[in-house]
Amino acid sequence: MSWHLKEKLRQTLAMEQNAMVFAPGSRHGFALVYPNTYRVGMSNLGFHIIYEQINQRGDTACERIFLPDKKTAEEYARTNTPLLTLETQRPLYEFPLIGIAITFEMDYFHILEILALGKVPLLAGKRSEKDPLVIIGGPCATFNPEPLADFIDAAIVGEGEEVIHELLDTYYLCKQRGLTREEILRRFAQIEGIYVPRFYQPVYDVNGVIREYRRTADVPDRVRRRWVKDLTRYKAQTVIVTPETEFKGMFLVEVGRGCGRHCRFCMAGYCFRRPRMRPLAQISEAVAEAQRYGLKVGLMGAAISDYPEIDRLCQLILSRNMALSVASLRADSLTDTLVRALAASGHKTITLAPEAGSERLRRVINKGIDDQHLYEAIDMATGAGIPHVRLYIMVGLPYEQDEDVDAIVEMAQNVKKHMEGRGSKGKLTLSINPFIPKPFTPFQWLPMAPVETVEARLSQITAALKGQKGIEILVEPVREAYIQGVLSRGDRRLGAVLHTVHRRGGAKAWKKALKEHGLDDAFYLYRARSLDEVLPWDNLDMGLETGYLVKELGNAQEERFTAPCVPGCVRCGVCTSPAKEGVI
Ligand code: SF4
Ligand code: SF4
């Protein structure tokens, strides 16, 4: 056991405020893993929320574990030290329950690395009665946990604040009664929102498509996603204050959850759809707390400018001589007050997400934003003294034509010209990502655009805008997007591939490992699924009515607008009784 590693963890703990540390043995242990570095994990609000929920129980001590950097991982291996928790520097394998919060597909590789470093058997089927139960949660667990099925014992589908307590209560009761691991998992599978993959065995056709899932225990046909009906019962704000986060100097505050805009590419919009807003009074308490720490308020939510009381919230923050920050904004719901508040908070860039260059393609994806919205938003920003503009764009969107790619270039040139026309000398940044079709969206059946097409389109855009003063282009790594593309709609057979990649030491071995296991990325990426195909995530239920996604796919093809969520609506099936469900 390395003294140096323990000391490093103690130093990290010492720079934090509000970490909760309990004497070993005084409570049950729960290891909460973020499968990326400390810095990334501590920037994730969901991670803070679950940490607090577990510790508030009084019977459980939640201890955090992160992916060590390369040098530290080598030190763990060299000194034969099992991966240790931050709070009490205990080995991961000693915890009876391990929860892993997963937000990005590329972190799947890190999960195996962490379990191996923590000396936890990688395969769920190989774990004995004394080994931990490994439970995943977060967006990836909600939309498609199948590629990780071999390594996990259970997945939490949906929002975790309530179901985590049901899971822990069930676990402690089962342990008191001396139940086996298998029996505990059977009990877990009866809890709404908990998926236990081992009880749903896929049967494949010769062509590799899933023929059916066979239930091997008395479990629900489909696992319903959990959601919190009354958000006000749970705070969602920074719990542990640390200088080491992506949002340095910021106190994160959730203003609302879900999004009712129905953008057809957006997994968050479909899986966490039901829009629920927090009352201003509750957010105001969080703002007061941010002030006690002397931190800027980082407003979190799917579409911040859609918050009905955004102006009053901005005024409240400024009236306390505090600053605020937001990620990207919807160009069609910006207010002058919000933009001025951002400028007063020191924002130099306004970030908008038109997603596509042409209005036609924006209709396909139901973005609901036209060029005029962009110009008006830029006018507001320029008028408030925010010089720079960043636009999020995707290439390879469904039904994209060559003209739509030309339109990205035109949009960039027009926006830049517009900025200059308003006297702005600011920079325009295009942040471009390849489009990845996601489960539970109307595009879940469609092929991803071929990598060659996406690369050619990116080169075309870059070449067309090359040398244009004040325009910068940032492109996400394209090859990585295609690994994400496989994992996001992948099936359980990818577990063997992840395992091989892990043994070979990283994602570089991906393509070769796929081949070795008789799989082809084209099967996952480029194949149009038929509408009646059994999809890997069909065991999960987001609450959408059967046929709703097909209807929305038709609307995309017809470029028809789907209106946002409104009170009283029962359109998609998610709200059965809007009055009771608390939808805004
Ligand atoms: S506005 Fe659209 S892209 Fe943004 S969160 Fe909502 S549905 Fe998703
Ligand atoms: S039922 Fe209506 S309000 Fe509820 S999530 Fe669906 S579209 Fe939105």
Side-chain angles (χ1 to χ4, degrees):
M1 187 83 71
S2 159
W3 177 88
H4 179 244
L5 285 169
K6 282 192 166 188
E7 188 49 31
K8 263 171 87 172
L9 290 165
R10 284 191 206 105
Q11 281 168 8
T12 304
L13 201 60
M15 73 180 176
E16 295 183 334
Q17 296 179 69
N18 302 336
M20 295 168 231
V21 184
F22 305 95
S26 61
R27 290 174 169 219
H28 303 291
F30 185 102
L32 183 61
V33 173
Y34 196 89
N36 208 311
T37 58
Y38 174 87
R39 196 181 166 79
V40 177
M42 291 308 291
S43 312
N44 184 288
L45 189 54
F47 193 70
H48 287 248
I49 294 171
I50 289 299
Y51 180 76
E52 185 169 50
Q53 281 301 320
I54 296 173
N55 280 323
Q56 269 177 353
R57 289 175 57 87
D59 61 359
T60 311
C62 182
E63 304 200 16
R64 291 163 292 154
I65 285 215
F66 301 92
L67 179 75
D69 60 33
K70 201 162 171 266
K71 209 169 130 219
T72 313
E74 279 164 10
E75 192 176 343
Y76 270 108
R78 185 167 31 81
T79 57
N80 197 24
T81 305
L83 196 60
L84 303 171
T85 58
L86 197 51
E87 276 75 2
T88 62
Q89 302 89 50
R90 273 194 291 161
L92 182 62
Y93 69 79
E94 279 189 9
F95 287 77
L97 294 168
I98 297 174
I100 309 177
I102 318 174
T103 311
F104 304 111
E105 291 92 342
M106 294 309 283
D107 285 342
Y108 293 3
F109 300 102
H110 302 150
I111 291 174
L112 274 68
E113 207 177 325
I114 287 175
L115 291 176
L117 279 171
K119 305 211 184 300
V120 176
L122 288 185
L123 295 170
K126 291 268 165 69
R127 289 184 197 128
S128 69
E129 290 296 329
K130 68 171 181 34
D131 289 317
L133 287 170
V134 177
I135 299 141
I136 59 169
C140 293
T142 296
F143 69 70
N144 182 20
E146 280 301 294
L148 291 169
D150 289 352
F151 314 106
I152 62 170
D153 294 292
I156 291 182
V157 181
E159 296 163 12
E161 284 96 334
E162 290 169 350
V163 68
I164 187 69
H165 296 293
E166 293 163 34
L167 181 141
L168 290 173
D169 290 343
T170 304
Y171 178 75
Y172 297 141
L173 197 67
C174 290
K175 285 313 261 185
Q176 264 174 23
R177 293 184 182 160
L179 298 191
T180 63
R181 192 179 181 86
E182 176 83 5
E183 287 163 336
I184 294 172
L185 290 173
R186 280 173 198 259
R187 300 289 195 288
F188 279 0
Q190 301 306 322
I191 302 172
E192 189 177 74
I194 299 193
Y195 175 55
V196 181
R198 71 176 60 184
F199 299 138
Y200 301 79
Q201 287 301 324
V203 180
Y204 299 93
D205 269 333
V206 277
N207 59 5
V209 166
I210 299 169
R211 187 190 311 149
E212 61 170 327
Y213 274 100
R214 291 211 177 117
R215 276 65 179 151
T216 60
D218 181 19
V219 290
D221 258 5
R222 295 177 80 206
V223 176
R224 267 190 86 96
R225 182 257 339 238
R226 287 297 289 259
W227 60 281
V228 174
K229 290 192 174 103
D230 180 6
L231 274 192
T232 58
R233 295 181 58 204
Y234 306 96
K235 286 206 276 186
Q237 60 195 53
T238 293
V239 174
I240 295 168
V241 176
T242 169
E244 277 298 311
T245 78
E246 303 280 320
F247 306 114
K248 195 171 176 204
M250 219 181 278
F251 189 90
L252 305 180
V253 178
E254 183 187 68
V255 299
R257 200 174 286 183
C259 181
R261 289 294 195 142
H262 303 210
C263 300
R264 296 186 178 114
F265 61 88
C266 178
M267 181 280 297
Y270 276 89
C271 291
F272 301 94
R273 152 164 292 199
R274 193 185 312 234
R276 289 146 288 158
M277 300 297 172
R278 291 180 183 275
L280 188 60
Q282 190 180 38
I283 300 174
S284 148
E285 282 171 24
V287 170
E289 206 156 330
Q291 191 164 36
R292 281 197 283 282
Y293 292 104
L295 297 172
K296 198 179 202 178
V297 180
L299 299 177
M300 306 295 284
I304 294 295
S305 45
D306 280 358
Y307 181 60
E309 303 211 64
I310 190 67
D311 285 356
R312 285 181 64 202
L313 177 56
C314 291
Q315 283 154 358
L316 181 131
I317 294 170
L318 293 187
S319 70
R320 286 173 168 268
N321 290 323
M322 296 172 72
L324 71 132
S325 182
V326 298
S328 74
L329 293 161
R330 275 196 67 98
D332 59 343
S333 57
L334 271 189
T335 68
D336 212 40
T337 307
L338 170 59
V339 176
R340 290 194 178 279
L342 290 171
S345 301
H347 266 242
K348 297 284 178 240
T349 303
I350 188 152
T351 303
L352 305 167
E355 319 287 3
S358 71
E359 292 191 354
R360 185 197 77 80
L361 201 50
R362 280 184 230 142
R363 285 196 296 276
V364 169
I365 60 173
N366 205 48
K367 191 66 201 180
I369 284 177
D370 58 33
D371 291 345
Q372 196 51 35
H373 289 128
L374 287 180
Y375 296 142
E376 284 166 10
I378 290 164
D379 288 348
M380 276 190 217
T382 313
I386 298 178
H388 308 301
V389 176
R390 177 191 284 253
L391 300 179
Y392 282 127
I393 306 287
M394 286 186 280
V395 287
L397 279 164
Y399 314 113
E400 182 183 77
Q401 308 287 329
D402 291 344
E403 304 83 80
D404 298 307
V405 183
D406 297 337
I408 295 174
V409 175
E410 278 164 39
M411 176 181 67
Q413 289 165 333
N414 291 340
V415 164
K416 190 70 182 77
K417 213 183 289 166
H418 187 86
M419 288 163 69
E420 285 163 0
R422 293 292 183 273
S424 166
K425 292 194 171 61
K427 184 173 67 179
L428 169 66
T429 303
L430 296 188
S431 185
I432 313 182
N433 289 306
F435 166 68
I436 302 171
K438 295 279 177 167
F440 292 109
T441 67
F443 299 148
Q444 65 178 0
W445 294 282
L446 302 185
M448 191 164 166
V451 63
E452 299 77 16
T453 308
V454 164
E455 282 176 339
R457 295 198 153 156
L458 288 169
S459 307
Q460 181 192 334
I461 297 166
T462 314
L465 294 173
K466 197 172 167 205
Q468 302 219 1
K469 224 174 131 222
I471 300 183
E472 174 192 49
I473 299 178
L474 302 176
V475 179
E476 289 290 311
V478 173
R479 299 278 156 174
E480 200 175 292
Y482 283 79
I483 298 179
Q484 280 181 54
V486 172
L487 289 171
S488 72
R489 292 189 296 170
D491 55 41
R492 204 171 289 193
R493 292 172 301 179
L494 292 174
V497 180
L498 286 168
H499 203 176
T500 299
V501 168
H502 166 72
R503 283 197 298 263
R504 303 258 166 84
K508 290 187 297 297
W510 175 250
K511 272 244 170 196
K512 208 163 161 230
L514 268 172
K515 266 209 190 83
E516 280 173 26
H517 290 282
L519 298 172
D520 182 358
D521 58 1
F523 174 84
Y524 298 100
L525 294 171
Y526 302 137
R527 193 171 54 87
R529 282 85 167 150
S530 71
L531 295 180
D532 57 1
E533 180 172 324
V534 178
L535 300 169
W537 49 95
D538 273 357
N539 294 323
L540 312 181
D541 176 6
M542 292 301 128
L544 294 161
E545 258 170 26
T546 318
Y548 182 80
L549 291 178
V550 177
K551 201 169 115 202
E552 273 300 291
L553 179 62
N555 286 340
Q557 286 157 343
E558 303 292 326
E559 299 171 27
R560 261 197 303 265
F561 179 62
T562 296
C565 295
V566 284
C569 161
V570 289
R571 246 179 313 158
C572 76
V574 167
C575 308
T576 44
S577 169
K580 273 197 286 174
E581 316 264 29
V583 174
I584 51 122

